[in-house]
Amino acid sequence: MISSLDIITIFDFIGVIACSIAATILALRTRFDFLGCILVSMVNAIGGGTIRDVFLDRHPLFWTTELSYVYVITITSIITQFAINHYQTINKKIDWLIRFFDAIGLAAFSVIGLKVALAYQMHPLIATLMAVLTSIAGGIMRDMICNQIPLVLQKEIYLSTSIIGSVVYFGLGKAGFDNSLQELVMLAVIFSLRMLALKYNWNLPPLRFDFKNH
């Protein structure tokens, strides 16, 4: 039987690998060199968790004591670079690939951020904010380094999926469901909503004010 801690660890590395792939693809498109791609992958994969830990005063930072994060990110980036160069797919469906792997990272890191905050006895509202922060901060820094408009600032539904997933998590908890099921459903809800938003172009409507009549 897989424990809740084992599931969290699996989610964590799923997010790390997915974000490393997304960041490497974007860095290659931006024509970063070999080491530049690895650097962008590091920022994307551990940036959100690092900022979360600073806010929660969680020390030492997780990746400074668990070097497996650094190893996995580096190896994933190198493999992705070789694969992209071998199959010459850098200009084929690249935006979809970035968004697909980014969606996996968004879902996985939302679960991780929520669970870490709850482990520190944070209020559900703060835990939800930590879920959002963990899942989007690395991607924002990645996009800024690559001179792109961050995905979170683009039209499609993005960070709201993390909020919805967190609400579902707490709702299932109130209903008495098992912890592991809560995490799996949260992951599935966030990933599914993000991919559906991309497929059907779901957007949150902007607030509009008419200042001409005032």
Side-chain angles (χ1 to χ4, degrees), residues 114-134:
L114 188 78
K115 296 297 292 184
V116 168
L118 290 176
Y120 274 68
Q121 307 299 316
M122 292 293 141
H123 186 278
L125 178 59
I126 301 302
T128 300
L129 290 175
M130 290 300 105
V132 172
L133 180 65
T134 306

Side-chain angles (χ1 to χ4, degrees), residues 23 26-27 30 32 40 141-148:
L26 181 58
T30 318
F32 279 38
V40 175
M141 290 186 285
R142 172 202 67 201
D143 292 341
M144 291 176 66
I145 292 171
C146 293
N147 199 30
Q148 304 288 314

Side-chain angles (χ1 to χ4, degrees), residues 111-197:
V111 176
I112 297 300
L114 188 78
K115 296 297 292 184
V116 168
L118 290 176
Y120 274 68
Q121 307 299 316
M122 292 293 141
H123 186 278
L125 178 59
I126 301 302
T128 300
L129 290 175
M130 290 300 105
V132 172
L133 180 65
T134 306
S135 62
I136 70 171
I140 291 175
M141 290 186 285
R142 172 202 67 201
D143 292 341
M144 291 176 66
I145 292 171
C146 293
N147 199 30
Q148 304 288 314
I149 298 174
L151 289 177
V152 68
L153 299 180
Q154 297 184 31
K155 289 192 303 181
E156 304 101 344
I157 291 174
Y158 193 89
L159 68 81
S160 53
T161 62
S162 180
I163 297 173
I164 293 170
S166 299
V167 171
V168 169
Y169 176 92
F170 289 118
L172 291 174
K174 289 289 186 182
F177 284 91
D178 179 72
N179 220 3
S180 298
L181 181 61
Q182 290 175 259
E183 295 157 5
L184 289 169
V185 172
M186 179 181 176
L187 182 84
V189 166
I190 295 172
F191 177 75
S192 299
L193 283 176
R194 177 60 180 153
M195 295 309 294
L196 287 170

Side-chain angles (χ1 to χ4, degrees), residues 40-69:
V40 175
S41 297
M42 293 281 183
V43 170
N44 193 176
I46 61 179
T50 299
I51 295 176
R52 174 204 65 217
D53 286 358
V54 170
F55 271 97
L56 294 176
D57 196 25
R58 185 176 181 235
H59 299 293
L61 297 176
F62 66 98
W63 54 270
T64 62
T65 57
E66 284 288 339
L67 288 179
S68 53
Y69 287 97

